[in-house]
């Protein structure tokens, strides 16, 4: 088993083949979320499944998949048999590697023993629960409808069904949360002994309800408080045996998320579903973001791609650094990394202890300042 | 030569946006100088910048033919519409016998209306009061006519009412110009005396002078003498503008036209100079000549130090066309190599800066404007200082004087309290207050110019909801208890942030300054102390805490392109930063910080 933050693992991920499937259905809209979601359209699930399988069938043949990730929206609302059908379609079209990671995001309140069993039987081994917080007041402020106790039940159910990796997502820095609340949330999360932990700073994304509230005068998240909470999370999670391998992600040995490692290594992944992104043969593509448009186009045999972008040469190198610098393993220097190290600003960041050269790698030593480094790389 | 009795020389004077250029267009159109087909709106405003700002920077002159029983020649002499250019206005008015005083029928008399009216009265001109924009729904011509009559001491019924936009009343106005403006006097047999009332630089022809012949004859080919500069040149071409240039053999007394001598440097031709014959020179020059005097100074620096040479070339080129722009090299520890530039006023400064950036594609940092102080050192040496950097150390300073202005503010009377509060906070002294009508008041103050150049006009506008207007003129120097307040970033003094302040306000100014800078300077990798100091004494301190978090929470497969663009945009914003020592300072900070109330 490889350590989550090992450079070998980080670089090997560049060779993996990933697939992302977007499930947009949600019971309600969370105020901070800016992903492609639809509410009250559950009756379109079968139509959507047909479109997904059509889209998968239309994709040119490829190598077997090392990682499959279902995101949303709320994949757990899509129904076990539909998710299983999509996995089946992917396996039929591309094949699955022997040790392939098949994972999904799930809301604790949707998670039942029946669903868990159905998914495990279909080959799912990883589940990521949107726990967000264990403080009822913070959950309410975040617009989440589960209760803290739902998370513990969900984790137990997943383990019983045979899921190999259980992840918890947490969000910190909502003004409704204080240090004590966050500490309690971390303790409660770690008490469930997760294999993987994602801790995200609450971010005000344009166009969300949260954004509108802040624009109307509600307090925005305080970056200093968020820095404190991130640090607290590192201390507690590390003490619990988790290892940070990316800015916001920690895992136990052998439980780093393969799909995400592929993205950060600038490896290739296919994207299926409304608003999904893919990256194959040096071309980034994005599907249309409206569900109706997506369905109509796939059904008409037109294909749902809205835009493509060829990323090559120096631009590709800069992307490689932008993504790779987020990892604890850092990124091989290359020309762009060397240019950064040799620049005046780069030297200043090295002197300030923000970034360092370790052998042939560039490694960010203060992950919370990663973008200060990344901006120097980009043009 | 035109018969003097048939010549009428006049200007249109007005507050900004009261419709001067539109009226000029209408007069050109009505007298056939332009067919409607040729009409380009606002012909007299030739520079793009003027069109955009709705003001007239350079005066020009157009000859109009008007038949009113007899054939008349009407010379319309355009004047700059802003206080910064009051010397140019006075020279243009000196070329006229009459002035059309134009007032907006909705806005009424404004500060520049009064200032311009006084200039015209001082120049001995016959004034024809005109209320414009009578077609506007909000027009109140009766009230405004009464106000105008109050200012000029005439009768409201003598005020001509027009709409330059629709053309209504234009014929009445032309008739009044013919009947009221006196024909020019002047002796055709006397030695030549012609007033240079404006000039501009033409790439092909060199300097083109606008002249008004007062006595004698100005003939093409003649050897001329410019009396103030004591230079002699040949009149290579003499002509009139109709508005197209049309060469003529001779311009006689009272006539207005242009003169080309082959001189290439605009600095060698002085506005206000008297042209005479080199062969039979006049004994005495025409009165009123003065050197243009810069009032406001600021450092202009290229953001990219490599652009210094391009900046110098751009200034050299601009100066070809702007004799009032002065500049000398300046070195700033914070901003590198640049120029200390002198301007006639704030608008002039803004225009120059915009032209440098726009026409010469330069990215510039301008320091906050300053004024010229007169200092006496303990050695007895007296000198003028134009930059806070040149202020002697407190121990060496015997006395310091600062320039004052006489400021005229016109506003609705409900804002008098707000204006008084503003002006008193700026060390102003009230000289006079008069009601122009039941609800409008004119306030006269003596104010230190330094207090006016910082944000005063913006403050005045915001405190009076945009209703106040301002005009000012130099009013000599006065001694004052002034100190230099320095700012230190990370322990290092930043020369571009220094400023000269009255001692009584130094503490509150220093405090406000460091607080403002704390907001303007983004968080860096380390704590940045900001201090204000008088000499070696620290009077205020703030700290920009080190930034701790600068990272996007998530970057997954769907985010790559979007996050990349977001970071690129943020990087673009960083380009507007200037490294001062080890501290990144946004360019705007150099002007914004000094806008704090003093």
């Amino acid at each position: 088993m490889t350590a989550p933050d090992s450079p070998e693992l980080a670089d090997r991920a560049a060779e993996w083949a990933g697939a992302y499937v977007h499930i947009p259905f949600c019971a309600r809209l969370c105020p901070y979320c800016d992903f492609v979601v639809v509410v009250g359209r559950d009756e379109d699930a079968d139509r959507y499944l047909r479109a997904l399988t059509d889209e998968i069938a239309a994709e040119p043949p490829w190598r077997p998949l090392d990682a499959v990730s279902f995101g949303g929206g709320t994949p757990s609302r899509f129904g076990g048999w539909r998710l299983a059908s999509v996995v089946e379609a992917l396996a039929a079209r591309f094949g699955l590697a022997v040790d392939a990671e098949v994972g999904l995001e799930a809301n604790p309140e949707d998670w039942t023993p029946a669903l868990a069993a159905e998914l495990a039987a279909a080959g799912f081994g990883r589940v990521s629960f949107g726990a967000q917080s264990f403080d009822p007041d913070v959950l309410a402020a975040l617009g989440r409808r589960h209760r803290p106790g739902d998370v513990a039940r969900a984790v137990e159910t997943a383990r019983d069904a045979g899921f190999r990796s259980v992840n918890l997502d947490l969000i910190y820095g909502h003004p409704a949360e204080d240090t004590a609340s966050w500490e309690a949330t971390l303790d409660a999360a770690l008490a469930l002994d997760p294999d993987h932990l994602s801790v995200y700073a609450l971010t005000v994304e344009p166009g969300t309800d949260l954004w509108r509230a802040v624009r109307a005068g509600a307090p925005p998240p305080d970056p200093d408080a968020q820095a404190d909470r991130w640090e607290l999370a590192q201390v507690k999670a590390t003490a619990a045996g988790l290892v940070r391998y990316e800015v916001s992600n920690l895992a136990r040995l052998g439980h780093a998320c393969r799909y995400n490692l592929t993205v950060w290594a600038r490896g290739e992944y296919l994207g299926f579903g409304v608003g999904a992104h893919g990256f194959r043969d040096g071309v980034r593509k994005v599907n249309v973001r409206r569900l109706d448009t997506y369905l109509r186009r796939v059904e008409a045999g037109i294909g749902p791609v809205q835009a493509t972008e060829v990323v090559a040469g120096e631009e590709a190198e800069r992307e490689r650094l932008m993504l790779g610098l987020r990892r604890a393993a850092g990124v091989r220097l290359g020309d762009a990394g060397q240019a950064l190290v040799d620049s005046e600003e780069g030297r200043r960041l090295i002197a300030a202890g923000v970034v360092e050269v370790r052998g042939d790698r560039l490694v960010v030593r203060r992950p919370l300042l990663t973008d200060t480094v990344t901006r120097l790389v980009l043009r | 030569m035109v018969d003097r009795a048939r010549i009428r020389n006049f200007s249109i004077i007005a507050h900004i946006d009261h419709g001067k250029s539109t009226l000029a267009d209408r007069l050109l159109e009505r007298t056939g100088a332009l067919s409607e087909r040729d009409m380009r709106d606002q012909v007299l405003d030739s520079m793009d910048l003027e069109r955009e700002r709705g003001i007239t920077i350079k005066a020009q002159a157009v000859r109009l033919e008007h038949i009113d029983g007899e054939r008349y020649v009407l010379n319309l002499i355009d004047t700059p519409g802003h206080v910064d250019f009051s010397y140019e206005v006075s020279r243009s008015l000196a070329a006229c016998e009459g002035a059309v005083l134009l007032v907006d029928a909705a806005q009424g008399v404004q500060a520049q209306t009064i200032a311009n009216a006084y200039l015209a009265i001082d120049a001995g001109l016959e004034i024809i009061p005109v209320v414009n924009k009578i077609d506007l729904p909000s027009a109140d011509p009766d009230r405004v006519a009464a106000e105008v009559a109050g200012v000029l001491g005439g009768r409201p019924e003598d005020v001509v009412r027009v709409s330059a936009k629709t053309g209504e009343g234009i014929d009445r106005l032309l008739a009044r110009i013919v009947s009221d403006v006196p024909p020019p006097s002047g002796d055709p047999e006397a030695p030549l005396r012609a007033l240079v009332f404006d000039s501009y630089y033409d790439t092909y022809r060199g300097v083109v002078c606008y002249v008004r012949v007062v006595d004698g004859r100005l003939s093409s080919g003649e050897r001329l003498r410019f009396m103030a500069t004591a230079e002699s040149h040949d009149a290579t071409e003499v002509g009139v503008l109709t508005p197209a240039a049309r060469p003529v053999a001779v311009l006689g007394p009272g006539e207005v036209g242009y003169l080309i001598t082959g001189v290439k440097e605009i600095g060698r031709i002085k506005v206000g100079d008297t042209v005479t014959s080199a062969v039979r020179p006049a004994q005495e020059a025409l009165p009123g000549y003065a050197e243009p005097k810069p009032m406001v100074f600021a450092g202009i620096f290229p953001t990219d130090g490599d652009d210094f040479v391009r900046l110098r070339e751009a200034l050299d080129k601009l100066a070809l066309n702007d004799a009032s722009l002065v500049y000398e090299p300046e070195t700033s520890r914070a901003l590198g190599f640049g120029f200390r530039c002198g301007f006639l006023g704030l608008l002039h400064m803004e225009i120059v800066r915009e032209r440098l950036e726009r026409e010469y594609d330069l990215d510039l940092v301008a320091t906050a404007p300053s004024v010229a102080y007169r200092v006496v050192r303990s050695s007895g040496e007296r000198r003028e200082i134009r930059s806070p950097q040149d202020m002697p150390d407190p121990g060496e300073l015997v006395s310091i004087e600062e320039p004052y202005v006489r400021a005229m503010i016109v506003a609705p009377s409900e804002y008098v309290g707000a204006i008084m509060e503003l002006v008193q906070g700026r060390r102003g002294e009230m000289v006079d207050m008069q009601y122009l009508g039941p609800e409008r008041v004119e306030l006269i103050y003596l104010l230190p110019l330094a207090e006016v150049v910082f944000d005063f006009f913006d403050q005045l506008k915001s405190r009076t909801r945009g209703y106040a207007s301002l005009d000012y003129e130099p009013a000599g120097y006065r001694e004052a208890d002034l100190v230099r307040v320095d700012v230190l970033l990370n322990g290092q003094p930043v020369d571009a942030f220094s400023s000269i302040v009255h001692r009584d306000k130094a503490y509150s100014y220093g405090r406000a300054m460091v607080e403002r800078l704390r907001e303007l300077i983004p968080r860096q990798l380390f704590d940045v102390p900001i201090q204000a100091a008088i000499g070696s004494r620290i009077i205020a301190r703030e700290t920009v805490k080190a930034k701790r978090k600068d990272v996007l929470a998530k970057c997954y497969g769907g985010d790559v392109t979007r996050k990349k663009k977001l970071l690129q945009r943020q990087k673009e914003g960083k380009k507007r930063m200037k490294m001062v020592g080890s501290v990144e300072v946004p360019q705007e900070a150099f002007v914004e910080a000094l806008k704090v109330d003093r």
Side-chain angles (χ1 to χ4, degrees):
Chain A
M1 288 223 221
T2 338
D5 59 349
S6 93
E8 296 73 36
L9 178 67
D11 291 350
R12 191 168 3 119
E15 306 303 323
W16 287 338
Y20 175 79
V21 183
H22 191 77
I23 308 295
F25 305 102
C26 279
R28 58 193 283 189
L29 215 58
C30 297
Y32 54 85
C33 172
D34 74 333
F35 291 112
V36 175
V37 297
V38 289
V39 174
R41 294 288 301 268
D42 291 1
E43 76 277 7
D44 284 316
D46 286 332
R47 231 182 124 193
Y48 191 66
L49 173 63
R50 280 194 299 276
L52 279 177
T53 47
D54 286 353
E55 195 192 356
I56 290 166
E59 177 78 21
W62 211 35
R63 57 186 194 270
L65 303 173
D66 296 286
V68 176
S69 174
F70 285 79
T74 315
S76 49
R77 281 186 73 77
F78 197 42
W81 72 270
R82 292 194 190 87
L83 293 167
S85 306
V86 177
V87 175
E88 216 168 281
L90 289 168
R93 184 68 182 152
F94 310 110
L96 288 181
V98 188
D99 55 349
E101 166 193 279
V102 180
L104 83 161
E105 293 173 353
N107 275 356
E109 67 270 28
D110 300 337
W111 195 254
T112 60
L115 175 64
E118 202 172 4
L119 293 175
F124 280 86
R126 183 176 198 275
V127 58
S128 183
F129 291 115
Q132 321 309 8
S133 173
F134 285 82
D135 179 333
D137 293 341
V138 176
L139 283 174
L142 290 171
R144 306 296 295 195
R145 10 165 247 170
H146 68 269
R147 287 179 305 270
D150 293 342
V151 181
R153 271 191 297 280
V155 169
E156 200 185 330
T157 306
R159 294 215 189 285
D160 288 349
F163 273 79
R164 193 187 156 265
S165 285
V166 176
N167 172 53
L168 297 179
D169 276 353
L170 299 177
I171 294 179
Y172 60 87
H174 193 286
E177 170 197 270
D178 60 15
T179 308
S181 156
W182 176 237
E183 194 167 359
T185 285
L186 286 169
D187 288 340
L190 293 169
L192 298 176
D193 205 17
D195 305 294
H196 190 287
L197 189 67
S198 299
V199 287
Y200 298 120
L202 179 67
T203 305
V204 182
E205 299 287 358
T208 58
D209 283 352
L210 177 64
W211 177 77
R212 272 184 286 277
V214 167
R215 215 177 36 166
D222 171 17
D224 289 335
Q226 289 192 324
D228 287 340
R229 297 203 183 145
W230 182 89
E231 282 168 9
L232 186 63
Q234 303 309 311
V235 170
K236 287 194 170 271
T238 305
L242 292 158
V243 176
R244 186 183 66 78
Y245 68 105
E246 194 258 0
V247 173
S248 306
N249 288 281
L250 304 100
R252 288 188 202 295
L253 224 61
H255 288 277
C257 174
R258 280 195 163 207
Y259 169 71
N260 286 334
L261 280 173
T262 307
V263 172
W264 297 323
R266 203 167 175 274
E268 296 179 303
Y269 51 95
L270 308 174
F272 301 107
V274 60
H277 290 247
F279 178 46
R280 180 177 176 181
D281 303 329
V283 181
R284 294 200 178 278
K285 72 131 198 195
V286 59
N287 284 350
V288 293
R289 285 176 64 91
R290 269 184 56 88
L291 178 60
D292 290 323
T293 315
Y294 172 81
L295 291 171
R296 224 179 305 121
R297 288 181 63 160
V298 176
E299 285 161 4
I302 305 172
V305 176
Q306 176 173 304
T308 58
E309 182 197 12
V310 180
V311 186
E314 288 182 15
E315 180 70 7
E317 262 301 280
R318 287 193 280 268
E319 253 187 31
R320 187 179 67 80
L321 261 74
M322 171 184 107
L323 295 164
L325 282 168
R326 293 185 64 89
R327 303 176 302 196
V331 63
R332 276 182 300 101
L333 271 172
D335 289 344
Q338 193 61 50
L340 168 68
V341 169
D342 293 340
S343 71
E344 197 188 317
E345 293 114 318
R347 280 198 296 271
R348 230 182 358 252
L349 289 181
I350 291 171
V354 177
V355 66
E356 70 178 346
V357 177
R358 260 184 230 160
D360 66 342
R361 301 184 81 81
L362 189 61
V363 180
V364 173
R365 289 179 59 195
R366 294 180 60 189
L368 288 182
L369 296 180
T370 299
D371 288 350
T372 306
V373 184
T374 305
R375 275 193 290 269
L376 293 186
V377 176
L378 296 178
R379 287 281 173 279
Chain B
M1 266 173 36
V2 181
D3 176 4
R4 269 181 297 146
R6 300 277 170 265
I7 298 177
R8 301 290 183 272
N9 295 321
F10 71 102
S11 283
I12 306 171
I13 52 181
H15 192 78
I16 186 164
D17 286 339
H18 281 201
K20 186 170 69 153
S21 298
T22 311
L23 178 61
D25 286 350
R26 205 58 59 227
L27 291 173
L28 262 67
E29 187 190 67
R30 191 58 59 93
T31 55
L34 284 181
S35 68
E36 270 183 71
R37 191 162 38 86
D38 296 340
M39 228 9 225
R40 207 169 49 135
D41 269 353
Q42 307 197 350
V43 168
L44 292 187
D45 288 354
S46 59
M47 270 195 269
D48 280 353
L49 213 54
E50 291 184 29
R51 284 168 174 276
E52 279 174 32
R53 288 174 171 265
I55 52 161
T56 307
I57 301 165
K58 289 310 258 184
Q60 286 179 308
V62 183
R63 172 188 283 215
L64 312 173
E65 306 256 329
H66 176 61
I67 297 171
D68 186 351
E70 310 263 358
R71 178 182 295 272
Y72 288 90
V73 165
L74 311 184
N75 288 307
L76 166 55
I77 295 168
D78 201 16
T79 58
H82 192 272
V83 45
D84 282 4
F85 307 102
S86 57
Y87 175 69
E88 278 81 350
V89 177
S90 78
R91 292 308 83 205
S92 293
L93 294 181
C96 302
E97 281 78 27
V100 168
L101 179 67
L102 195 65
V103 184
D104 183 306
Q107 292 187 16
V109 169
Q110 298 290 334
Q112 280 167 37
T113 316
I114 301 174
N116 281 319
Y118 289 166
L119 279 174
I121 291 167
D122 289 349
L125 304 192
E126 182 64 32
I127 296 177
I128 305 172
V130 176
V131 172
N132 186 25
K133 306 193 192 181
I134 55 171
D135 57 307
L136 287 183
S138 54
D140 189 353
D142 293 339
R143 174 181 67 86
V144 174
E147 266 182 24
V148 177
V151 170
L152 296 177
R155 296 182 310 166
E157 49 270 33
D158 291 338
V159 176
V160 186
R161 299 171 181 212
V162 306
S163 165
K165 194 168 140 211
T166 65
E168 188 185 346
I170 297 299
D171 291 328
R172 273 198 306 281
L173 175 57
L174 281 166
R176 283 286 293 276
I177 291 167
V178 169
S179 66
D180 289 16
V181 176
S185 53
D187 180 355
E189 305 311 324
L192 169 67
R193 291 201 298 172
L195 171 71
V196 178
F197 63 85
D198 196 7
S199 66
Y200 74 97
Y201 177 79
D202 180 279
T203 322
Y204 302 105
R205 310 300 308 272
V207 179
V208 179
C209 311
Y210 290 106
V211 292
R212 151 75 194 266
V213 178
V214 176
D215 290 318
R217 295 180 172 89
L218 173 58
S219 309
S220 181
E222 188 178 6
R223 186 73 180 161
L224 301 174
R225 188 167 174 75
F226 287 73
M227 297 181 78
T229 57
E231 288 196 25
S232 293
H233 304 288
D234 292 330
T236 54
E237 186 176 315
V238 172
V240 295
L241 295 155
T242 63
R246 184 159 62 78
V248 298
V250 180
L251 289 175
E255 284 196 87
V256 172
Y258 68 89
L259 162 66
I260 297 170
T261 60
V263 170
K264 297 290 181 200
E265 302 83 24
I266 200 149
R268 286 173 60 192
I269 302 283
K270 306 287 188 187
V271 168
D273 202 348
T274 302
V275 180
T276 187
S277 158
V279 182
R280 189 166 75 105
Q283 293 303 304
E284 226 175 290
L286 298 164
Y289 172 74
E291 289 277 342
K293 188 158 171 40
M295 302 266 283
V296 174
F297 300 85
I300 292 189
F301 297 85
T303 307
D304 179 349
D306 293 345
D307 281 341
F308 175 76
V309 173
R310 288 214 303 127
L311 173 58
R312 186 176 59 208
E313 286 166 2
L315 281 166
D316 288 347
K317 278 193 193 142
L318 269 194
L320 281 178
N321 213 345
D322 185 349
S324 47
L325 170 65
V326 296
Y327 51 100
E328 57 191 24
E330 181 179 57
T331 310
S332 155
R333 257 203 315 270
L335 300 173
F337 293 103
F339 292 91
R340 193 76 188 167
C341 301
F343 309 97
L344 296 175
L346 289 174
L347 179 75
H348 186 217
M349 177 173 93
E350 239 178 88
I351 290 169
V352 168
R353 190 189 160 170
E354 260 188 59
R355 291 190 63 188
L356 287 171
E357 293 202 308
R358 193 185 296 200
E359 294 171 28
Y360 297 94
D361 192 29
L362 287 160
D363 199 5
L364 302 173
V365 181
T367 62
S370 142
V371 301
Y373 297 93
R374 291 176 179 168
V375 298
V376 179
R377 288 171 181 270
S378 45
S379 64
E381 184 205 354
R382 289 165 184 278
R383 62 180 285 222
E384 188 180 87
I385 59 165
R386 296 172 165 191
S387 161
Q389 293 323 301
D390 299 331
M391 174 107 163
D393 291 334
E396 276 185 57
L397 184 68
V398 176
S399 72
I400 179 165
E401 292 180 342
E402 64 177 331
Y404 265 67
V405 292
R406 186 183 150 92
M408 177 175 357
I409 299 167
V410 173
S413 46
E414 59 185 296
Y415 297 113
V416 165
I419 294 169
M420 283 184 169
E421 196 188 323
L422 171 66
V423 177
Q424 276 157 18
R426 304 280 183 136
R427 299 189 280 135
E429 279 171 32
M430 188 186 277
V431 176
D432 196 8
M433 173 165 145
Q434 286 197 9
Y435 277 83
L436 297 173
E439 276 153 22
R440 278 155 54 78
V441 71
E442 175 193 357
L443 297 148
I444 311 274
Y445 281 95
L446 280 175
L447 270 163
L449 176 61
E451 301 280 356
V452 177
V453 302
F454 290 105
D455 204 30
F456 181 80
F457 190 57
D458 288 347
Q459 284 289 326
L460 180 67
K461 282 281 179 191
S462 77
R463 288 175 195 222
T464 59
R465 300 173 65 188
Y467 282 115
S469 58
L470 168 74
D471 198 285
Y472 59 86
E473 59 185 16
Y477 274 73
R478 283 199 198 182
E479 192 169 336
D481 190 5
L482 302 172
V483 293
R484 189 178 80 200
V485 176
D486 294 324
V487 170
L488 294 82
L489 277 190
N490 211 17
Q492 296 297 312
V494 180
D495 47 17
F497 285 137
S498 293
S499 87
I500 294 173
V501 183
H502 195 269
R503 188 183 300 278
D504 292 348
K505 292 181 165 186
Y507 279 89
S508 59
Y509 171 78
R511 170 112 307 272
M513 181 81 183
V514 296
E515 279 170 10
R516 185 118 174 86
L517 278 171
R518 192 198 51 200
E519 283 160 25
L520 288 167
I521 294 176
R523 297 171 70 170
Q524 324 254 321
L525 293 174
F526 44 86
D527 283 359
V528 179
I530 306 169
Q531 296 160 299
I534 301 172
S536 57
R537 198 155 40 90
I538 303 295
I539 57 172
R541 180 189 161 114
E542 285 284 340
T543 305
V544 177
K545 300 296 278 177
K547 79 172 164 189
R548 295 180 55 203
K549 178 173 169 290
D550 177 17
V551 67
L552 300 165
K554 298 184 183 185
C555 186
Y556 293 130
D559 298 323
V560 177
T561 303
R562 227 180 77 198
K563 304 277 152 136
K564 189 167 70 185
K565 286 191 174 136
L566 175 64
L567 290 169
Q568 279 165 338
R569 270 204 309 280
Q570 291 171 350
K571 178 171 183 139
E572 220 22 62
K574 291 223 167 239
K575 282 198 183 142
R576 303 284 301 175
M577 299 276 180
K578 190 96 192 171
M579 286 303 293
V580 177
S582 54
V583 182
E584 281 184 334
V585 180
Q587 286 173 37
E588 313 83 71
F590 292 96
V591 171
E592 287 300 313
L594 289 145
K595 277 189 182 166
V596 302
D597 236 353
R598 316 155 139 245

